[in-house]
Amino acid sequence: MRVISLMMALLLAPVLTVGAGCATGSDAKPQTYAGAAEQRYMSADEDLEDGNYLEAIRQFNSVRNKFPYSKYAPLSELRIGDAYFAQEKYASAVEQYRNFIQLHPKHPKVSYAHWRVALAFHKLMPENWWLLPPAYERDLARTRDAVREMRLFIKRYPNSEYTDRARKLLAQERRRLADHELYVAKFYLDRDNPRAAAMRLRYLLENYSGLGLDPQALFLLARSYIELGDLQKAKTALGDLIEYHPNTEFAREAQDYLAEYELE
């Protein structure tokens, strides 16, 4: 009887070994909680990269609901924001990123979420279309929002990988606001309201200096003071223009104004 048992064991050994090999082969998928969450997340991420945004959002939501304690749940919340952003649904993206920030304030990707909020507000600014008035002539509430968010991002993350680009976009946003101030000042000058024009030009020079509009703003400010009869202030504005922007066309016109009004 012992001999028969030994022979049976020897015959079954190869079968058991093959069976074990099949169970642990390289093609087997992990059935752990973390492994299943990762698999679902990677599938959603592929859909997002391929432009299948609705399917990506569906799968990311599935990760959040089915694997709420995995590291892929908060990442899925973040990527839903990216899916909205890719569809140019910027308001929805902002809401999603802000929810992520509120729920996961210590997450390593919080700086990225803040950056995407600022970038979404930048995208929401009015654009220049040939059928419409220039963007600086239209409502600039969204541009002011973009400036606020970009400044907040730069203040929070001065050394972020996104900070250099944030500074460039902030300069564009501020230039849009400066263009608006210049437009309004010209509007007042054309309608014989030099006092209002001077007020807007002073505001422009105090808040948006260095964006390329200083020479023209100083020249128009001098014009406003001349029309107001305040020649001393006009002389000061023209002198600043010639001193700090000597190689501009406005500096040459400033010299003519000084001679014409005997301000030299």
Side-chain angles (χ1 to χ4, degrees):
M1 183 67 71
R2 182 177 298 175
V3 173
I4 294 172
S5 298
L6 179 60
M7 290 178 65
M8 290 294 292
L10 291 172
L11 288 171
L12 289 172
V15 176
L16 293 172
T17 303
V18 172
C22 290
T24 59
S26 59
D27 293 335
K29 297 296 183 183
Q31 296 302 312
T32 64
Y33 179 90
E38 179 182 12
Q39 187 176 10
R40 182 67 59 87
Y41 175 83
M42 295 304 294
S43 176
D45 210 48
E46 287 179 10
D47 279 319
L48 177 57
E49 295 302 322
D50 291 341
N52 302 321
Y53 304 121
L54 294 180
E55 178 61 19
I57 291 172
R58 187 190 70 79
Q59 291 206 66
F60 283 131
N61 274 317
S62 177
V63 174
R64 294 169 59 196
N65 295 330
K66 293 184 177 180
F67 308 99
Y69 304 110
S70 76
K71 68 178 183 179
Y72 297 102
L75 289 175
S76 292
E77 295 171 12
L78 187 64
R79 292 297 268 165
I80 290 172
D82 290 341
Y84 286 133
F85 193 101
Q87 296 176 84
E88 299 183 3
K89 297 179 179 180
Y90 299 120
S92 296
V94 166
E95 182 179 2
Q96 187 67 31
Y97 290 134
R98 283 180 166 169
N99 285 339
F100 172 84
I101 293 167
Q102 184 176 5
L103 292 172
H104 313 285
K106 302 298 184 181
H107 196 279
K109 289 287 187 179
V110 163
S111 63
Y112 171 80
H114 277 294
W115 159 242
R116 297 289 276 186
V117 167
L119 188 59
F121 273 102
H122 182 84
K123 296 286 188 180
L124 284 168
M125 292 193 311
E127 296 184 2
N128 286 314
W129 295 93
W130 66 278
L131 286 173
L132 297 173
Y136 60 78
E137 293 184 18
R138 287 177 273 152
D139 180 28
L140 295 179
R142 290 179 181 257
T143 304
R144 294 188 181 92
D145 290 340
V147 168
R148 181 194 67 236
E149 294 298 326
M150 206 64 73
R151 279 177 167 161
L152 282 173
F153 174 79
I154 293 170
K155 182 178 180 180
R156 286 189 182 113
Y157 307 104
N159 300 315
S160 166
E161 61 183 298
Y162 308 110
T163 303
D164 286 344
R165 188 180 175 201
R167 290 194 177 101
K168 292 176 182 177
L169 294 181
L170 177 59
Q172 293 176 18
E173 295 159 2
R174 295 182 68 243
R175 174 60 187 256
R176 181 78 60 82
L177 296 177
D179 285 336
H180 176 73
E181 295 300 325
L182 187 66
Y183 163 75
V184 173
K186 289 179 177 179
F187 176 87
Y188 284 132
L189 272 176
D190 291 342
R191 284 156 181 77
D192 299 322
N193 191 346
R195 190 174 303 281
M199 181 182 69
R200 300 306 286 254
L201 291 163
R202 286 196 302 268
Y203 181 84
L204 189 161
L205 290 165
E206 290 169 3
N207 293 278
Y208 303 109
S209 182
L211 296 175
L213 295 179
D214 293 21
Q216 188 175 8
L218 284 167
F219 181 76
L220 293 177
L221 182 60
R223 270 188 52 191
S224 301
Y225 285 140
I226 287 172
E227 292 185 24
L228 288 168
D230 196 335
L231 298 184
Q232 186 57 46
K233 288 184 178 179
K235 181 179 179 179
T236 299
L238 294 171
D240 288 344
L241 172 54
I242 294 168
E243 180 178 357
Y244 297 111
H245 310 282
N247 299 319
T248 63
E249 60 175 304
F250 296 105
R252 291 186 288 273
E253 292 188 51
Q255 293 283 7
D256 295 337
Y257 263 53
L258 288 173
E260 180 180 351
Y261 292 96
E262 299 179 351
L263 299 175
E264 295 181 299

